[in-house]
Amino acid sequence: SLFSAVEHTCLAVNADTVLLEIREDNHVLRYRYEKKGYRPYRYVDNYYPDGCRAIKMKRTILSNLTQ
């Protein structure tokens, strides 16, 4: 899966965190990311051209993949 590929690539380059941004109104995608362990850490007003807020999310992966 895309999630697995990103996380394994992070491990290969010694990165332990994945960061991403999604539209605040994209509830389906937010739910999917939260199920994978991503958590919001910041909200950015007017991030998108139509004024929609962004949710910045992150997941620490090193401890999850090495267990």
Side-chain angles (χ1 to χ4, degrees):
S1 76
L2 179 60
F3 291 109
S4 180
V6 168
E7 292 173 0
H8 282 90
T9 300
C10 286
L11 286 177
V13 297
N14 294 320
D16 65 355
T17 304
V18 178
L19 304 175
L20 57 88
E21 297 89 25
I22 62 167
R23 290 179 62 94
E24 184 178 46
D25 60 3
N26 192 336
H27 304 290
V28 172
L29 191 56
R30 181 175 180 178
Y31 177 74
R32 182 181 302 159
Y33 283 131
E34 286 177 342
K35 279 180 47 178
K36 294 288 187 181
Y38 290 81
R39 298 292 175 246
Y41 71 94
R42 184 173 170 217
Y43 295 84
V44 182
D45 292 332
N46 299 309
Y47 187 83
Y48 292 95
D50 66 356
C52 187
R53 218 161 62 146
I55 302 172
K56 293 191 173 242
M57 302 180 81
K58 67 180 173 180
R59 179 172 184 236
T60 302
I61 53 124
L62 188 57
S63 61
N64 294 329
L65 288 178
T66 57
Q67 293 179 0

